[in-house]
mmCIF file of all heavy atoms in Angstrom:
data_model
loop_
_atom_site.group_PDB
_atom_site.id
_atom_site.type_symbol
_atom_site.label_atom_id
_atom_site.label_comp_id
_atom_site.label_asym_id
_atom_site.label_seq_id
_atom_site.Cartn_x
_atom_site.Cartn_y
_atom_site.Cartn_z
ATOM 1 N N GLY A 424 14.951 4.239 16.764
ATOM 2 C CA GLY A 424 14.752 5.387 17.528
ATOM 3 C C GLY A 424 16.144 6.130 17.686
ATOM 4 O O GLY A 424 17.103 5.605 17.164
ATOM 5 N N PHE A 425 16.118 7.169 18.386
ATOM 6 C CA PHE A 425 17.337 7.870 18.697
ATOM 7 C C PHE A 425 17.748 7.884 20.179
ATOM 8 O O PHE A 425 17.366 8.786 20.867
ATOM 9 C CB PHE A 425 17.242 9.298 18.176
ATOM 10 C CG PHE A 425 17.249 9.478 16.661
ATOM 11 C CD1 PHE A 425 15.962 9.381 16.031
ATOM 12 C CD2 PHE A 425 18.305 9.497 15.904
ATOM 13 C CE1 PHE A 425 15.814 9.434 14.786
ATOM 14 C CE2 PHE A 425 18.247 9.568 14.509
ATOM 15 C CZ PHE A 425 16.939 9.521 13.918
ATOM 16 N N PRO A 426 18.336 6.776 20.624
ATOM 17 C CA PRO A 426 18.540 6.653 22.029
ATOM 18 C C PRO A 426 19.503 7.782 22.536
ATOM 19 O O PRO A 426 20.457 8.059 21.858
ATOM 20 C CB PRO A 426 19.160 5.303 22.187
ATOM 21 C CG PRO A 426 19.655 4.889 20.919
ATOM 22 C CD PRO A 426 18.856 5.690 19.868
ATOM 23 N N ARG A 427 19.147 8.354 23.617
ATOM 24 C CA ARG A 427 20.065 9.419 24.205
ATOM 25 C C ARG A 427 21.195 8.705 24.929
ATOM 26 O O ARG A 427 21.123 7.605 25.355
ATOM 27 C CB ARG A 427 19.238 10.336 25.180
ATOM 28 C CG ARG A 427 18.196 11.030 24.445
ATOM 29 C CD ARG A 427 17.471 12.067 25.333
ATOM 30 N NE ARG A 427 17.637 11.786 26.802
ATOM 31 C CZ ARG A 427 16.674 11.824 27.593
ATOM 32 N NH1 ARG A 427 15.416 11.908 27.146
ATOM 33 N NH2 ARG A 427 16.877 11.680 28.962
ATOM 34 N N ARG A 428 22.319 9.432 25.045
ATOM 35 C CA ARG A 428 23.495 8.925 25.686
ATOM 36 C C ARG A 428 23.104 8.358 27.077
ATOM 37 O O ARG A 428 23.588 7.432 27.530
ATOM 38 C CB ARG A 428 24.568 9.967 25.792
ATOM 39 C CG ARG A 428 25.536 9.905 24.707
ATOM 40 C CD ARG A 428 26.530 10.953 24.867
ATOM 41 N NE ARG A 428 27.262 11.141 23.620
ATOM 42 C CZ ARG A 428 28.225 10.393 23.195
ATOM 43 N NH1 ARG A 428 28.466 9.234 23.794
ATOM 44 N NH2 ARG A 428 28.808 10.664 22.025
ATOM 45 N N ASP A 429 22.220 9.188 27.758
ATOM 46 C CA ASP A 429 21.911 8.853 29.043
ATOM 47 C C ASP A 429 20.803 7.724 29.195
ATOM 48 O O ASP A 429 20.455 7.210 30.234
ATOM 49 C CB ASP A 429 21.493 9.988 29.905
ATOM 50 C CG ASP A 429 20.305 10.680 29.236
ATOM 51 O OD1 ASP A 429 20.170 10.507 28.094
ATOM 52 O OD2 ASP A 429 19.644 11.481 30.011
ATOM 53 N N LYS A 430 20.315 7.374 28.026
ATOM 54 C CA LYS A 430 19.243 6.360 27.949
ATOM 55 C C LYS A 430 19.491 5.554 26.802
ATOM 56 O O LYS A 430 18.740 5.433 25.816
ATOM 57 C CB LYS A 430 17.798 7.084 27.738
ATOM 58 C CG LYS A 430 16.959 7.076 28.984
ATOM 59 C CD LYS A 430 15.804 7.791 28.698
ATOM 60 C CE LYS A 430 14.617 6.806 29.063
ATOM 61 N NZ LYS A 430 13.305 7.389 28.593
ATOM 62 N N PRO A 431 20.635 4.818 26.781
ATOM 63 C CA PRO A 431 21.028 4.038 25.571
ATOM 64 C C PRO A 431 20.041 2.888 25.288
ATOM 65 O O PRO A 431 18.998 2.821 26.029
ATOM 66 C CB PRO A 431 22.398 3.492 25.721
ATOM 67 C CG PRO A 431 22.616 3.626 27.283
ATOM 68 C CD PRO A 431 21.597 4.544 27.812
ATOM 69 N N ALA A 432 20.409 2.081 24.298
ATOM 70 C CA ALA A 432 19.612 0.986 23.721
ATOM 71 C C ALA A 432 18.300 0.604 24.320
ATOM 72 O O ALA A 432 17.400 0.151 23.682
ATOM 73 C CB ALA A 432 20.484 -0.250 23.476
ATOM 74 N N GLN A 433 18.127 0.875 25.613
ATOM 75 C CA GLN A 433 16.902 0.500 26.301
ATOM 76 C C GLN A 433 15.641 0.980 25.513
ATOM 77 O O GLN A 433 14.702 0.169 25.375
ATOM 78 C CB GLN A 433 16.938 1.137 27.664
ATOM 79 C CG GLN A 433 15.955 0.616 28.669
ATOM 80 C CD GLN A 433 14.695 1.495 28.769
ATOM 81 O OE1 GLN A 433 14.593 2.481 27.996
ATOM 82 N NE2 GLN A 433 13.872 1.142 29.743
ATOM 83 N N SER A 434 15.664 2.215 25.033
ATOM 84 C CA SER A 434 14.511 2.667 24.376
ATOM 85 C C SER A 434 14.329 2.031 22.982
ATOM 86 O O SER A 434 13.296 2.121 22.393
ATOM 87 C CB SER A 434 14.540 4.148 24.213
ATOM 88 O OG SER A 434 15.688 4.516 23.361
ATOM 89 N N ALA A 435 15.474 1.436 22.549
ATOM 90 C CA ALA A 435 15.516 0.961 21.127
ATOM 91 C C ALA A 435 14.334 0.110 20.748
ATOM 92 O O ALA A 435 13.663 0.321 19.741
ATOM 93 C CB ALA A 435 16.811 0.199 20.906
ATOM 94 N N GLY A 436 14.078 -0.977 21.490
ATOM 95 C CA GLY A 436 13.008 -1.868 21.116
ATOM 96 C C GLY A 436 11.578 -1.400 21.448
ATOM 97 O O GLY A 436 10.686 -2.109 21.289
ATOM 98 N N HIS A 437 11.538 -0.213 22.027
ATOM 99 C CA HIS A 437 10.166 0.162 22.524
ATOM 100 C C HIS A 437 9.602 1.309 21.793
ATOM 101 O O HIS A 437 8.582 1.864 22.316
ATOM 102 C CB HIS A 437 10.289 0.514 24.100
ATOM 103 C CG HIS A 437 10.806 -0.640 24.834
ATOM 104 N ND1 HIS A 437 9.982 -1.710 25.191
ATOM 105 C CD2 HIS A 437 12.106 -0.947 25.273
ATOM 106 C CE1 HIS A 437 10.725 -2.646 25.875
ATOM 107 N NE2 HIS A 437 11.966 -2.173 25.932
ATOM 108 N N GLN A 438 10.168 1.691 20.716
ATOM 109 C CA GLN A 438 9.638 2.781 19.963
ATOM 110 C C GLN A 438 8.208 2.276 19.377
ATOM 111 O O GLN A 438 8.010 1.170 19.016
ATOM 112 C CB GLN A 438 10.522 3.135 18.836
ATOM 113 C CG GLN A 438 9.928 4.261 18.073
ATOM 114 C CD GLN A 438 10.956 5.365 17.693
ATOM 115 O OE1 GLN A 438 12.101 5.151 18.121
ATOM 116 N NE2 GLN A 438 10.580 6.428 17.236
ATOM 117 N N LYS A 439 7.328 3.337 19.286
ATOM 118 C CA LYS A 439 6.058 3.005 18.781
ATOM 119 C C LYS A 439 6.180 2.515 17.304
ATOM 120 O O LYS A 439 7.108 2.864 16.638
ATOM 121 C CB LYS A 439 5.213 4.205 18.798
ATOM 122 C CG LYS A 439 4.411 4.468 20.013
ATOM 123 C CD LYS A 439 3.310 5.491 19.718
ATOM 124 C CE LYS A 439 2.165 5.350 20.709
ATOM 125 N NZ LYS A 439 1.212 6.309 20.357
ATOM 126 N N PRO A 440 5.276 1.621 16.791
ATOM 127 C CA PRO A 440 5.381 1.203 15.440
ATOM 128 C C PRO A 440 5.193 2.448 14.511
ATOM 129 O O PRO A 440 4.611 3.493 14.913
ATOM 130 C CB PRO A 440 4.240 0.279 15.321
ATOM 131 C CG PRO A 440 3.241 0.612 16.464
ATOM 132 C CD PRO A 440 4.123 1.060 17.483
ATOM 133 N N GLU A 441 5.678 2.252 13.303
ATOM 134 C CA GLU A 441 5.500 3.296 12.317
ATOM 135 C C GLU A 441 4.057 3.841 12.227
ATOM 136 O O GLU A 441 3.090 2.994 12.131
ATOM 137 C CB GLU A 441 5.826 2.747 11.044
ATOM 138 C CG GLU A 441 6.444 3.739 10.077
ATOM 139 C CD GLU A 441 7.082 3.061 8.946
ATOM 140 O OE1 GLU A 441 6.831 1.860 8.663
ATOM 141 O OE2 GLU A 441 7.900 3.688 8.353
ATOM 142 N N GLN A 442 3.901 5.053 12.357
ATOM 143 C CA GLN A 442 2.576 5.696 12.182
ATOM 144 C C GLN A 442 2.660 6.680 11.099
ATOM 145 O O GLN A 442 3.544 7.339 10.945
ATOM 146 C CB GLN A 442 2.165 6.310 13.392
ATOM 147 C CG GLN A 442 1.976 5.467 14.670
ATOM 148 C CD GLN A 442 1.728 6.337 15.824
ATOM 149 O OE1 GLN A 442 1.947 7.574 15.819
ATOM 150 N NE2 GLN A 442 1.330 5.728 17.005
#
Side-chain angles (χ1 to χ4, degrees):
F425 292 90
R427 295 190 340 232
R428 265 181 197 284
D429 56 340
K430 253 181 126 190
Q433 194 261 8
S434 64
H437 299 281
Q438 180 134 2
K439 268 196 162 183
E441 208 166 21
Q442 295 171 346

